[in-house]
Amino acid sequence: MKKLRVFFACVTSRLARLALRLLGRGGTALPGKAALRVYPGLMRELGCGVETVIITGTNGKTTTAGMLRHMLDKAGTPYFSNRSGANLTSGITAEFIENANLLGKPKKPLAVIECDEGNFPAVAAALQPRAVIVTNLFRDQLDRYGEVTHTRDLIASGIQKAPGAALCLNADCSLTASLGWDVPNETVYFGLENISGGAVPSVSDAPHCLRCGARYAYRRYTFAHLGDWYCPACGAQRPAPDMAVESVEALPGGGSAVTMKTPEGTVSFDLALPALYNVCNAAAALTAARTMGWDMDICRAALADFGAVFGRMEQLTVGETSVRIVLVKNPAGCDRALEFLASQSGNILPIFCLNDNAADGTDVSWIWDADYENLFAARKYEAIGVYGVRAQDMRLRLKYAGADDASITVYDTADDLAAAVQKAGKPVVLLPNYTSMLTVRDKLSALAGGGRFWE
């Protein structure tokens, strides 16, 4: 009976996908939803015989998954993955259907799956992954997830349903590291060792100890609530990372030269992407790769030419204009993007894009927790652009942060923004949230000449 239900569910999904293509529409969610209506237990059946790595957490999921895929591509290892970013249960199910024949037998035995935090419990229970990466946990989409401790508890419940999964956890994030407490799972930690990111943050997403409720103290901060944390009251503290980044040096062109201590010894590698948070993503990817038993020489070498994925430090050339797209969707990630923007030399046009659609989180009050003040204290801009459903909210936030209101242009449409980019005469850094990125990226990609250009 199960095989029959699998067959009809797979056929239903394929017919739905074909219909979408004939209508000229993309999308992976609908085929997965249709299949799950036929057989709600389909993902568990299709996951049998597939060794799966799941990547979840607030920031860095897409980039870390992309790094793992690039490592496997370099090694010539067959795998499949939800490359489209469809990271809910329906989208992940659709990818497993595409990897299976009509009777549910997998075509490839390895999967790299990016998973939404809220959907992680169901996905982990169904797939019984070999490894789980949790990148970090920050406040994000409060209207959907609630407070960040609730998100942490969702992931913890998923881990309880997958006791055989090796956990690859960020030691620097107290919320993430706590997921390794009192569980039977193999647990491996990654983190930054003796690397400080600057001043103590004014707002913390995780100020209090999860064991006793006392306020955490820090020996050093990396960024946001990440760093060498400990509880003076009960003694809970950051675990020593098994995979510890010991030094990071900037490379010409925006990448990093990284030294990392591993259980096998100290190694070095180059990372093509800029920014310290991408070093964290690389550490997460290497930790999972080691846990899975992949060739570490190939994995480290792959990071040297790994390009940005889908708006995460992605680069485009539009006419004669250099464009960098840096997705921002919560205060912690926004602050890292603002630090990157402030570090860029020369005359630059920053454009801030803000929507409040369901996929973004309808509450945009988070922009008042991001440190735009620090950006405008560091430098001024001749011109600034804002765009999106909540463009005026963004304009007001920038004005209160210290931007000259006369320098701010509101672009009413994506066409207006694209026209401004084409004639900017200077590099553009675009900082959009999720759905505004989709709109603007499609418009700019249609005009782009392609290639990597950021100097």
Side-chain angles (χ1 to χ4, degrees):
M1 180 63 71
K2 281 186 178 180
K3 288 295 183 183
L4 192 60
R5 295 184 74 183
V6 168
F7 174 80
F8 281 115
C10 290
V11 169
T12 299
S13 175
R14 283 172 164 77
L15 290 174
R17 191 182 292 267
L18 176 61
L20 288 172
R21 288 174 179 168
L22 291 174
L23 292 171
R25 296 172 58 190
T28 56
L30 181 59
K33 287 180 180 178
L36 289 170
R37 289 291 297 271
V38 175
Y39 186 15
L42 180 63
M43 187 189 294
R44 183 182 296 275
E45 297 298 324
L46 298 181
C48 292
V50 178
E51 193 172 56
T52 303
V53 183
I54 296 179
I55 307 95
T56 193
T58 307
N59 291 347
K61 295 187 293 293
T62 301
T63 298
T64 303
M67 290 176 174
L68 290 170
R69 289 194 295 264
H70 193 59
M71 293 171 182
L72 292 171
D73 288 338
K74 289 289 187 179
T77 303
Y79 70 95
F80 67 100
S81 182
N82 53 338
R83 292 176 180 271
S84 68
N87 62 14
L88 303 183
T89 302
S90 56
I92 294 169
T93 300
E95 292 296 342
F96 273 81
I97 292 170
E98 285 298 295
N99 181 61
N101 65 19
L102 291 179
L103 295 178
K105 184 177 180 180
K107 301 172 185 176
K108 296 175 182 177
L110 178 61
V112 174
I113 300 297
E114 173 189 339
C115 183
D116 169 82
E117 304 93 288
N119 284 245
F120 176 74
V123 173
L127 296 181
Q128 294 298 304
R130 169 68 182 87
V132 171
I133 301 173
V134 187
T135 56
N136 48 59
L137 289 169
F138 299 112
R139 284 181 300 150
D140 186 56
Q141 296 191 45
L142 298 184
D143 55 318
R144 178 177 169 221
Y145 291 124
E147 283 299 327
V148 68
T149 50
H150 175 63
T151 307
R152 183 258 177 212
D153 291 345
L154 283 172
I155 295 176
S157 71
I159 289 171
Q160 290 177 353
K161 297 171 183 176
L167 307 181
C168 304
L169 304 177
N170 189 340
D172 298 336
C173 173
S174 56
L175 292 165
T176 303
S178 72
L179 293 167
W181 295 348
D182 307 320
V183 295
N185 305 65
E186 174 191 356
T187 303
V188 186
Y189 290 97
F190 60 91
L192 306 183
E193 199 70 38
N194 301 318
I195 297 174
S196 296
V200 175
S202 57
V203 178
S204 173
D205 288 349
H208 297 113
C209 177
L210 292 177
R211 285 203 189 275
C212 73
R215 193 171 187 88
Y216 283 126
Y218 284 77
R219 299 179 183 92
R220 60 170 175 78
Y221 278 97
T222 306
F223 53 78
H225 65 268
L226 276 60
D228 191 355
W229 53 272
Y230 66 96
C231 176
C234 73
Q237 63 178 330
R238 168 184 178 265
D242 302 278
M243 303 282 280
V245 174
E246 294 189 315
S247 68
V248 180
E249 296 182 11
L251 292 174
S256 301
V258 182
T259 301
M260 172 182 278
K261 183 177 68 176
T262 77
E264 290 72 42
T266 301
V267 297
S268 298
F269 61 91
D270 289 347
L271 174 64
L273 295 181
L276 189 60
Y277 60 83
N278 278 318
V279 175
C280 296
N281 293 334
L286 287 171
T287 301
R290 178 180 174 274
T291 299
M292 296 292 291
W294 301 351
D295 188 314
M296 294 304 289
D297 290 335
I298 294 175
C299 292
R300 287 191 297 271
L303 296 171
D305 64 355
F306 171 72
V309 292
F310 201 60
R312 281 77 171 176
M313 286 289 179
E314 189 176 10
Q315 303 170 85
L316 301 172
T317 301
V318 180
E320 299 297 322
T321 303
S322 304
V323 183
R324 174 86 75 168
I325 305 175
V326 188
L327 175 70
V328 295
K329 59 192 183 80
N330 52 49
C334 186
D335 284 348
R336 308 290 77 75
L338 295 175
E339 288 170 2
F340 169 78
L341 176 58
S343 72
Q344 302 305 293
S345 60
N347 193 8
I348 289 172
L349 170 62
I351 301 177
F352 302 87
C353 308
L354 185 65
N355 281 355
D356 62 354
N357 297 321
D360 304 302
T362 56
D363 181 356
V364 298
S365 63
W366 64 265
I367 63 175
W368 293 91
D369 291 330
D371 196 1
Y372 294 93
E373 284 80 5
N374 192 50
L375 170 68
F376 294 113
R379 63 181 299 175
K380 301 296 181 183
Y381 297 92
E382 294 177 0
I384 299 169
V386 294
Y387 165 78
V389 177
R390 302 299 287 269
Q392 291 296 344
D393 296 74
M394 193 75 251
R395 177 181 182 178
L396 183 67
R397 178 68 185 97
L398 299 179
K399 178 181 177 180
Y400 273 92
D404 180 3
D405 189 54
S407 70
I408 301 174
T409 299
V410 178
Y411 304 120
D412 294 325
T413 68
D415 288 323
D416 292 341
L417 187 154
V421 167
Q422 283 185 299
K423 62 183 182 183
K426 65 187 78 170
V428 171
V429 178
L430 193 70
L431 294 92
N433 67 341
Y434 186 67
T435 65
S436 63
M437 179 196 73
L438 298 180
T439 301
V440 173
R441 184 182 180 275
D442 283 350
K443 185 67 63 175
L444 295 179
S445 295
L447 301 172
R452 298 177 62 85
F453 60 84
W454 193 266
E455 301 294 343

